[in-house]
Amino acid sequence: MEEQQSLFHRYRRDRRKLLEFLLSSSASSSSFSHINFDTLSADYVIDRVKSGGVVDISEATKTYFHESSYPPMTHSKLGDSFLLHTDPDDSGSPPRRVPPSVPSRKPGSLKVEKIDRNGDDHGFKYRASPSTRPRPIENFKIVSLGLPSLKTGLSDDDLRESAYEILLASMATSGIVICSVEDQRKHRPSRLLSGLKSRKDKPNVQSQPLDKNLRLIRTIRVQMQISEAMDECTRQKMMMLSPGRTRVQIDIPQIVLGLLNFTFKSDFSNEKSYMQWKNRQASILEELLCFSPNLVAHDHLTIKRSLAMIRNAKEWDFMSSSGKAEVISVIKQAALTLSSLPGRFDLQSETYYWTSAYHLNIRLYEKLLLGVFDVLDESQLIEEADEFLMLLKLTWSTLGITQKMHDAIYMWVLFQQFVGTDEALLLEYATVELQELISAKVDDENVRLYMNSLLCSIHCNAVEIKLSLVDAVFYSLSIWCESKLQDYHLHFSQQHSHLKRVMSLVSAVGVLNFGDGGHMKLRRFNLNTDAAKILESYVKRSIEAAYRRVASNIDHLSEVEKKHPLGVLANELRLIAERELNVFYPELCKWCPNSGMIAAMMLHQIYWERLRPFLDGVSSLSEDVKAVLPAADLLDQVVTQLYNTGNGENCEDLHHYPIGEVAKPIILDWVIAQHERILEWTGRAFDLEKWEPLSSQQRQAASIVEVFRIIEETVDQLFGFRLPMDITHLQALLSVVFHTLDAYLLKLLDQIVEKNYLYPSAPPLTRYKETTIPVLKKKFLECMPLDDNVYDKLNTLTIPKLCVRMNTLKYIQKQIDILEDGIRKSWALIRQSIDKTCAREQRLGTSTCNEQIDELFCTTFDIIRDNAANAISKICDFTGAKAVFWDLRHAFLFCLYCGSVEASRLDGVLTRIDTVLGHVCSYIDDSLRDAVVLSICRASLEGFAWVLLDGGPSRAFCDSDIVLIEDDLSALKEFFVADGEGLPRSVVEQEAKFPEEILNLYSLQTETIIQKLMAASEQISLGLDSHDHNYMRLNNAHTFVRVLCHKKDREASKFLKRQYQLPMSSEYEDTPSTDPTSQSPLRSDLSKRSMSDLAKRSTSDLAKRSTSFRWNNTHSTFTSFKKKLQEATSEFRNVAW
């Protein structure tokens, strides 16, 4: 209602300003003083302005009253619309759908009616049954003060305008000038607005500055919504009424009679305004005089008759001035008789009307106090509020107001404004006024008696109770505060700060208390037992009311959210508990420390009665279970926190819902089912993998992304259940993660071929011999073909696909860290919520449990990391070997230095290696690039050494060739160093040591090499080389023999022929008779054998490598070759070469 009035006043003010603007071009602002803009037809004025015609004020007024007899209408392109007088919100819009059918009751639906509470103050039993739909929330209205009613029906506008007149009269009789000199000299113009003129036709008249009092009066007029015309007329009459500047006391009848005596119909712009004003004055006189018990019957009838004459327009308006004066004189005589009566309490300035008309005086003073609120924003005080309040003291003697009455009424006005606007600052002001009122010094006995005589009637429990004005204010405040506190969850959920202020207010005012004799009194409470009991009742009633609202709407919310009603109920109750814990308990605990415990036990008991039957039927992780159990667990956590907050650490733990016991087996079943599904999906994704990079930025395979997506979805689902879990569930989850990734790694490694298959078989050992007679039939190098599966695998394992595999393994290493961190955080959140609600005895083993969990994480993920790292190392080593010994075997192993060193240098091979490195850099992850390049570098140097030692019959090197080969080796090293942008030089130099040492052997004299072979062979015969575990060792008999075989030297050839009967190299065609792929050569055999076995069987291996190609069957046995070697050793001792 107050909001509607505020909008009405705003509309009224804006309408007036617009009309003033339209009319201002033809007359100055002073010409508008006697115009009642509320009775001007806006349509008429606008039409006259548009047409350029003359605005006739009387015609505009006549048109207004004519239009007001019809309903309001708006004009639009769609047609004219009439506005109904009824409120459309009451009836609502017509239904747009067919009426729904009566739904059948669903299992688990919630209906609530009265809550039965049994037991002591801390134990509650609840039952729920069907009830009606919830009613809309209604704001509790303030209980009125119970002042005696006005018998004449004066409206709020009448009281407001009369209060303004009394204020002006009090100011005038106090010697304050209320009219400026300009206002006093102003004459009413003979004609108003004869036509519209342009503003430019008249000079701009600037008003003279007003002094402080006149500016304040203007502000008060605006605040009390008095028109300028009425204000000007009233002030002029008040100046005529006041006897100069002498300070005299004046009462209300004198003010009213003076206005009636000096005011005429011609002072008003229309008859309606004059009739309203005249009737209001008559009603004020009737309220003051006609109901006085001290007035005799004859005077009573005379006043009634006189007031009737004033109200009668035909009689009063046509009465002569002498007749009006006679009527007013009769009323004045009766008023003077009453005014002359002594006051009842012998107070200073007390008049008869202080007690006989206090109900009117208080209402008038209340209207004056309402003027301190900004008319544009009623939640704010005007800047001149303090000056305004000081000015109101001038009316105290007229209205019978004391300081204590002022404090009480002003506090009451502030409080009403707070209730209407919800502005917290107004409540603070009201609380300050209340504190001042309570702490004020004790009144004089006569003042106390006077205050107690101002009785108000309050109805409580159908019994009428008489209270003093101050007590009535306190009673009304107490009733309102208790109504809010008994459902503080409803009233303070949005404005949390109001609770503290209302608690301060009710603690100062007190709460109602009925004594044994039925007497009602307000009892103020402090931090004591009484306050705790009162607050306990507030907590219980508020929780009950909040539960009723929630439970009555559960079925509707369940249908909207598509969730089980118990899950929705748990969420709603949790919100109540959280508000209680975070918002209300910090304030309530100051008065009632057990408030949190009481609210927690109530909410816990309410939900447990509903949850218990549901838990008995849980057997699997259904959708209903997923919705109800997490919500119930969250509710249990919040309720437990609320319970413990209110009781400290020494209290007994609240009985928890058995969510963990019910959820444990069904969660394990779910994880086991997911394990099988994930393994199936992992195998399917791997089988479909083409080993192509996802993009230029994401170079891993698509299958591993899919695998991690499935794992992460499973992890999210598990922790998304928000159910209690223990280490068993964590073990099950980590087992799923481990077996999934381990299966993927095993499948990936199973596609990699053993590196031994990459190396070509060693050619037969021959001695260099140039022949002048061509051999008609040469022997071919024979080899055993590879298995088809191995051959197919090697062809599919291209360098790009190997790079994608290594990128995938690197992706696993990165993602495994992210996955572990995510699982740890999710587990920590689960355990944190459990630790908050579990008993202290259960928390004692937390450190031990944490150690087990850390060990479980480390064991699971470290194994995956190690396996991925080993796989990367294996594939990286395989990649270098495949690039050199398989992809480049023809250009590198078979063609380099074949026939002639000068004709087949290393330049062509470097070009091919550069192409391979380009492919590697295009596909490999940046973090793996150096390792792969190093693997190719190592394989290239190993292949270079293979050409020097196992080059076959077509390769023989003289001293001049060695110089060229050394240049090629230097070029190969520089190629991988790449001017500092490639591998570190120290690494390349370390890898190139063995080829350099081989070239150094080639640079030695043949006799020196034979001497070294003799020494190495003697160690073989004596078994002294048992610790020679490395085939790639310079001081090795096999190395010396191979150097002699490839040395283009007559003495070396003669030595090999005489001592080992090796065939000539010219007897062989250096092209295999079949595909160059073969089984593992001696190099692979040596890498597999133990070091001790290598020393014993090195000579035998040398013989086997020769006989594997069946180049000379006469030297095919291990015994004969070893014997020849031993004989050569004996001869070395006696013969000098």
Side-chain angles (χ1 to χ4, degrees):
M1 184 63 182
E2 294 180 359
E3 182 179 358
Q4 293 178 357
Q5 290 180 355
S6 175
L7 291 175
F8 170 74
H9 294 314
R10 186 178 302 176
Y11 163 76
R12 180 182 177 187
R13 182 184 66 257
D14 293 343
R15 184 180 185 274
R16 177 185 178 88
K17 290 182 178 180
L18 289 173
L19 288 174
E20 285 182 354
F21 173 75
L22 292 174
L23 301 176
S24 61
S25 61
S26 62
S28 62
S29 59
S30 62
S31 303
F32 303 150
S33 58
H34 298 283
I35 300 177
N36 186 1
F37 287 92
D38 295 335
T39 59
L40 292 182
S41 172
D43 291 334
Y44 171 80
V45 175
I46 293 174
D47 290 339
R48 300 307 293 171
V49 171
K50 287 183 177 179
S51 62
V54 177
V55 177
D56 190 345
I57 298 300
S58 60
E59 185 65 24
T61 304
K62 181 179 178 180
T63 305
Y64 170 80
F65 285 108
H66 177 73
E67 293 174 348
S68 62
S69 61
Y70 297 98
M73 184 177 67
T74 58
H75 306 280
S76 65
K77 296 180 179 180
L78 299 178
D80 297 338
S81 302
F82 289 91
L83 304 181
L84 301 177
H85 288 289
T86 58
D87 188 359
D89 293 336
D90 296 337
S91 58
S93 59
R96 294 184 174 87
R97 62 181 185 277
V98 297
S101 58
V102 179
S104 59
R105 183 177 176 85
K106 296 181 180 180
S109 62
L110 297 178
K111 297 292 184 182
V112 61
E113 64 169 13
K114 183 178 180 181
I115 303 176
D116 297 332
R117 183 173 72 243
N118 301 320
D120 54 18
D121 291 340
H122 304 301
F124 299 90
K125 299 293 183 180
Y126 297 91
R127 64 181 180 86
S129 56
S131 70
T132 58
R133 293 182 61 84
R135 294 177 296 177
I137 298 173
E138 297 180 358
N139 192 16
F140 184 82
K141 296 181 180 180
I142 305 175
V143 178
S144 64
L145 295 180
L147 290 170
S149 60
L150 297 173
K151 300 177 178 61
T152 56
L154 289 167
S155 66
D156 287 343
D157 288 339
D158 294 336
L159 294 173
R160 174 173 46 78
E161 293 172 358
S162 296
Y164 182 70
E165 293 170 353
I166 293 171
L167 176 60
L168 290 179
S170 301
M171 295 172 64
T173 56
S174 299
I176 299 177
V177 178
I178 61 176
C179 288
S180 63
V181 177
E182 180 183 354
D183 292 336
Q184 294 178 10
R185 294 177 179 176
K186 187 182 303 179
H187 298 284
R188 182 178 180 181
S190 59
R191 188 176 181 182
L192 294 174
L193 297 179
S194 59
L196 289 174
K197 298 181 180 180
S198 175
R199 285 187 181 180
K200 297 181 180 180
D201 297 339
K202 288 190 175 184
N204 185 15
V205 179
Q206 302 207 358
S207 60
Q208 307 239 342
L210 302 175
D211 60 13
K212 180 178 180 181
N213 290 331
L214 293 179
R215 288 197 302 269
L216 183 58
I217 291 174
R218 174 170 291 183
T219 301
I220 296 173
R221 178 193 66 77
V222 174
Q223 289 297 113
M224 301 194 70
Q225 302 174 21
I226 306 298
S227 66
E228 292 184 10
M230 195 66 212
D231 172 55
E232 183 179 355
C233 178
T234 303
R235 282 191 285 164
Q236 289 177 359
K237 306 310 177 186
M238 289 301 173
M239 293 300 296
M240 298 170 62
L241 176 64
S242 61
R245 296 178 178 273
T246 306
R247 295 179 176 272
V248 296
Q249 184 175 359
I250 190 171
D251 54 25
I252 298 177
Q254 293 177 1
I255 299 172
V256 175
L257 291 172
L259 290 174
L260 286 172
N261 192 30
F262 295 112
T263 307
F264 305 97
K265 183 178 180 180
S266 59
D267 293 325
F268 295 87
S269 60
N270 57 76
E271 183 179 357
K272 182 179 179 181
S273 300
Y274 174 64
M275 290 297 298
Q276 291 175 350
W277 177 88
K278 187 176 59 173
N279 291 335
R280 172 170 60 83
Q281 304 299 343
S283 298
I284 292 291
L285 290 174
E286 183 180 2
E287 191 74 38
L288 292 171
L289 303 177
C290 293
F291 304 102
S292 173
N294 296 318
L295 194 65
V296 297
H298 178 267
D299 293 339
H300 184 271
L301 293 175
T302 302
I303 294 176
K304 278 283 189 181
R305 192 181 307 113
S306 300
L307 293 176
M309 294 172 63
I310 295 174
R311 287 192 175 98
N312 192 330
K314 295 181 180 180
E315 186 175 0
W316 180 260
D317 294 343
F318 296 98
M319 188 181 293
S320 61
S321 299
S322 59
K324 293 181 179 180
E326 183 179 354
V327 172
I328 293 175
S329 177
V330 172
I331 301 175
K332 184 176 182 181
Q333 187 62 37
L336 290 175
T337 301
L338 295 178
S339 298
S340 62
L341 296 176
R344 292 174 53 188
F345 302 100
D346 194 24
L347 298 176
Q348 183 181 1
S349 302
E350 181 184 4
T351 65
Y352 167 79
Y353 301 104
W354 280 25
T355 53
S356 63
Y358 72 89
H359 62 295
L360 177 61
N361 296 336
I362 293 175
R363 285 185 171 93
L364 291 171
Y365 193 68
E366 183 181 350
K367 295 301 178 183
L368 289 173
L369 288 173
L370 287 174
V372 301
F373 301 105
D374 193 341
V375 69
L376 299 178
D377 187 359
E378 296 181 350
S379 63
Q380 302 295 326
L381 298 177
I382 61 175
E383 296 180 1
E384 303 86 351
D386 293 336
E387 300 176 17
F388 189 10
L389 292 176
M390 290 297 296
L391 200 60
L392 292 185
K393 288 187 176 183
L394 299 176
T395 65
W396 286 13
S397 61
T398 302
L399 299 176
I401 304 297
T402 65
Q403 182 64 48
K404 192 169 185 179
M405 286 179 62
H406 165 79
D407 294 339
I409 299 174
Y410 187 42
M411 178 195 67
W412 171 250
V413 170
L414 287 169
F415 182 74
Q416 287 187 101
Q417 207 71 9
F418 157 71
V419 174
T421 62
D422 204 33
E423 175 57 47
L425 193 59
L426 296 178
L427 183 58
E428 289 187 4
Y429 292 156
T431 306
V432 172
E433 291 293 330
L434 176 62
Q435 297 293 342
E436 292 180 357
L437 181 62
I438 295 174
S439 61
K441 63 181 181 179
V442 180
D443 294 327
D444 181 75
E445 180 65 19
N446 293 338
V447 176
R448 186 184 64 81
L449 293 175
Y450 168 66
M451 294 289 295
N452 292 336
S453 68
L454 309 178
L455 296 179
C456 301
S457 298
I458 302 295
H459 292 272
C460 182
N461 297 329
V463 178
E464 184 179 6
I465 303 173
K466 297 293 184 179
L467 297 174
S468 66
L469 174 64
V470 177
D471 290 341
V473 172
F474 285 1
Y475 170 82
S476 181
L477 294 180
S478 178
I479 291 296
W480 185 89
C481 291
E482 281 204 282
S483 68
K484 300 298 180 182
L485 292 174
Q486 288 176 358
D487 196 359
Y488 56 80
H489 275 275
L490 173 65
H491 299 293
F492 302 118
S493 294
Q494 300 299 326
Q495 297 290 345
H496 305 155
S497 59
H498 288 359
L499 176 63
K500 179 180 180 180
R501 298 182 177 95
V502 172
M503 284 298 302
S504 300
L505 190 65
V506 74
S507 63
V509 173
V511 294
L512 291 178
N513 183 37
F514 293 91
D516 297 336
H519 299 290
M520 183 194 71
K521 64 178 181 179
L522 292 172
R523 183 179 63 183
R524 299 185 180 92
F525 58 89
N526 296 316
L527 301 176
N528 51 31
T529 306
D530 294 337
K533 291 182 179 179
I534 295 172
L535 265 295
E536 285 181 9
S537 66
Y538 293 161
V539 173
K540 294 175 183 177
R541 292 178 182 178
S542 184
I543 294 296
E544 289 175 358
Y547 169 65
R548 287 178 186 275
R549 285 191 298 274
V550 168
S552 61
N553 201 31
I554 284 300
D555 289 339
H556 174 69
L557 292 176
S558 177
E559 293 178 1
V560 172
E561 298 179 9
K562 306 299 182 183
K563 292 182 180 180
H564 194 277
L566 276 177
V568 178
L569 178 62
N571 291 332
E572 295 296 324
L573 293 181
R574 176 173 55 83
L575 294 177
I576 296 174
E578 288 176 347
R579 283 198 301 269
E580 185 73 30
L581 174 64
N582 301 320
V583 177
F584 303 127
Y585 175 75
E587 181 61 28
L588 296 177
C589 67
K590 301 175 184 177
W591 309 90
C592 180
N594 293 331
S595 61
M597 182 194 69
I598 295 172
M601 293 183 64
M602 289 182 65
L603 294 172
H604 188 275
Q605 182 74 20
I606 288 171
Y607 192 70
W608 175 238
E609 296 295 333
R610 293 280 183 186
L611 180 64
R612 181 162 46 187
F614 179 83
L615 294 180
D616 295 338
V618 173
S619 59
S620 62
L621 202 60
S622 62
E623 293 300 324
D624 288 343
V625 173
K626 293 178 183 179
V628 174
L629 293 190
D633 185 60
L634 288 176
L635 172 62
D636 184 69
Q637 296 175 24
V638 178
V639 169
T640 302
Q641 187 179 1
L642 176 61
Y643 181 87
N644 295 334
T645 302
N647 291 272
E649 293 294 333
N650 297 325
C651 65
E652 296 182 0
D653 287 325
L654 187 67
H655 170 70
H656 300 291
Y657 303 144
I659 304 299
E661 301 174 7
V662 175
K664 182 176 180 178
I666 61 177
I667 293 178
L668 284 177
D669 294 340
W670 181 86
V671 174
I672 293 173
Q674 295 301 308
H675 191 182
E676 298 176 357
R677 184 183 68 88
I678 292 175
L679 287 178
E680 179 183 356
W681 274 96
T682 301
R684 184 180 304 176
F686 190 89
D687 294 339
L688 297 175
E689 181 58 62
K690 300 301 182 181
W691 301 109
E692 297 291 339
L694 284 177
S695 65
S696 59
Q697 289 77 26
Q698 298 179 350
R699 301 178 179 180
Q700 68 276 6
S703 59
I704 193 60
V705 177
E706 180 68 14
V707 169
F708 272 100
R709 185 189 64 80
I710 297 173
I711 294 175
E712 290 170 357
E713 284 183 357
T714 304
V715 173
D716 293 341
Q717 288 181 18
L718 178 62
F719 292 110
F721 294 151
R722 297 174 298 165
L723 292 173
M725 287 182 282
D726 55 21
I727 194 172
T728 304
H729 301 101
L730 182 61
Q731 288 175 337
L733 175 64
L734 295 182
S735 176
V736 171
V737 175
F738 175 80
H739 286 96
T740 301
L741 296 177
D742 187 64
Y744 189 91
L745 291 174
L746 290 177
K747 285 178 173 292
L748 190 149
L749 289 176
D750 187 60
Q751 293 182 340
I752 304 301
V753 178
E754 290 294 333
K755 192 172 67 170
N756 299 333
Y757 292 103
L758 298 173
Y759 298 111
S761 299
L765 295 179
T766 60
R767 57 186 177 85
Y768 174 76
K769 179 65 175 178
E770 292 183 359
T771 178
T772 56
I773 302 175
V775 181
L776 296 178
K777 187 176 181 181
K778 292 188 176 182
K779 299 179 181 179
F780 290 94
L781 299 177
E782 295 183 359
C783 61
M784 297 179 65
L786 290 175
D787 183 75
D788 292 340
N789 292 330
V790 176
Y791 187 77
D792 293 339
K793 283 185 178 182
L794 287 174
N795 287 334
T796 57
L797 293 175
T798 61
I799 296 299
K801 293 184 182 297
L802 289 173
C803 290
V804 173
R805 283 175 170 83
M806 286 186 283
N807 294 340
T808 301
L809 293 171
K810 191 65 180 181
Y811 180 81
I812 292 177
Q813 288 182 324
K814 295 178 181 178
Q815 289 299 117
I816 202 69
D817 295 337
I818 300 175
L819 180 63
E820 180 183 7
D821 185 63
I823 296 177
R824 282 184 179 272
K825 290 181 179 179
S826 300
W827 178 256
L829 292 177
I830 291 290
R831 295 308 306 175
Q832 183 180 3
S833 62
I834 294 176
D835 293 340
K836 288 182 179 179
T837 56
C838 66
R840 290 187 301 275
E841 296 82 9
Q842 298 174 350
R843 295 195 292 262
L844 295 177
T846 303
S847 59
T848 304
C849 181
N850 291 337
E851 294 177 359
Q852 295 176 354
I853 292 173
D854 291 339
E855 183 179 358
L856 183 61
F857 273 102
C858 293
T859 302
T860 302
F861 291 101
D862 286 352
I863 293 177
I864 297 297
R865 292 188 185 94
D866 293 342
N867 290 344
N870 294 335
I872 290 176
S873 178
K874 181 177 180 180
I875 297 178
C876 182
D877 192 31
F878 177 84
T879 301
K882 182 179 184 299
V884 174
F885 289 94
W886 185 266
D887 297 340
L888 301 179
R889 67 190 309 169
H890 180 74
F892 198 155
L893 303 183
F894 297 155
C895 295
L896 182 65
Y897 305 147
C898 185
S900 172
V901 173
E902 186 175 0
S904 55
R905 298 286 296 276
L906 189 64
D907 297 341
V909 177
L910 290 180
T911 302
R912 295 176 179 270
I913 295 177
D914 184 65
T915 302
V916 173
L917 292 178
H919 285 101
V920 169
C921 294
S922 299
Y923 286 92
I924 200 65
D925 185 83
D926 293 340
S927 60
L928 298 174
R929 181 183 58 193
D930 291 347
V932 177
V933 173
L934 177 60
S935 175
I936 296 176
C937 173
R938 183 181 295 115
S940 300
L941 293 171
E942 187 178 353
F944 194 84
W946 189 92
V947 170
L948 297 178
L949 295 181
D950 291 327
S954 63
R955 291 182 176 89
F957 311 119
C958 62
D959 293 341
S960 60
D961 293 337
I962 298 302
V963 176
L964 298 178
I965 294 175
E966 287 178 348
D967 294 338
D968 287 347
L969 179 60
S970 299
L972 181 61
K973 292 190 296 181
E974 292 299 328
F975 174 80
F976 284 102
V977 173
D979 297 329
E981 296 181 0
L983 297 175
R985 182 174 297 275
S986 59
V987 175
V988 176
E989 292 291 344
Q990 181 66 28
E991 297 294 335
K993 279 186 176 181
F994 185 70
E996 290 176 347
E997 291 175 349
I998 294 175
L999 290 178
N1000 291 334
L1001 285 178
Y1002 276 107
S1003 300
L1004 297 177
Q1005 295 294 326
T1006 302
E1007 182 179 357
T1008 305
I1009 299 175
I1010 293 175
Q1011 292 294 335
K1012 289 181 177 290
L1013 174 61
M1014 179 186 65
S1017 301
E1018 183 178 1
Q1019 291 181 355
I1020 293 176
S1021 63
L1022 298 177
L1024 298 178
D1025 64 340
S1026 59
H1027 298 289
D1028 185 9
H1029 305 302
N1030 189 1
Y1031 166 72
M1032 302 293 287
R1033 182 171 174 177
L1034 187 64
N1035 296 325
N1036 189 293
H1038 307 283
T1039 303
F1040 298 140
V1041 170
R1042 284 171 173 76
V1043 170
L1044 293 174
C1045 290
H1046 292 85
K1047 196 172 178 60
K1048 187 184 293 186
D1049 183 79
R1050 180 181 299 275
E1051 294 182 1
S1053 176
K1054 182 178 180 180
F1055 170 80
L1056 293 174
K1057 176 181 180 181
R1058 187 175 65 178
Q1059 298 297 331
Y1060 303 109
Q1061 292 79 40
L1062 293 181
M1064 295 185 299
S1065 59
S1066 58
E1067 296 180 6
Y1068 285 86
E1069 180 70 34
D1070 197 16
T1071 301
S1073 61
T1074 60
D1075 191 271
T1077 59
S1078 61
Q1079 291 182 341
S1080 60
L1082 176 63
R1083 187 185 304 273
S1084 176
D1085 294 337
L1086 293 177
S1087 64
K1088 291 182 179 179
R1089 295 171 184 172
S1090 63
M1091 297 304 174
S1092 59
D1093 185 58
L1094 174 63
K1096 296 179 180 179
R1097 302 180 57 187
S1098 58
T1099 306
S1100 175
D1101 292 335
L1102 181 62
K1104 288 181 180 179
R1105 290 180 59 185
S1106 302
T1107 58
S1108 63
F1109 289 91
R1110 299 189 297 274
W1111 58 274
N1112 191 343
N1113 292 332
T1114 59
H1115 301 86
S1116 60
T1117 63
F1118 166 75
T1119 305
S1120 61
F1121 188 83
K1122 186 175 182 181
K1123 183 177 180 181
K1124 292 290 185 182
L1125 187 60
Q1126 290 176 347
E1127 291 175 353
T1129 303
S1130 177
E1131 187 176 357
F1132 291 159
R1133 296 192 188 99
N1134 300 319
V1135 180
W1137 290 83

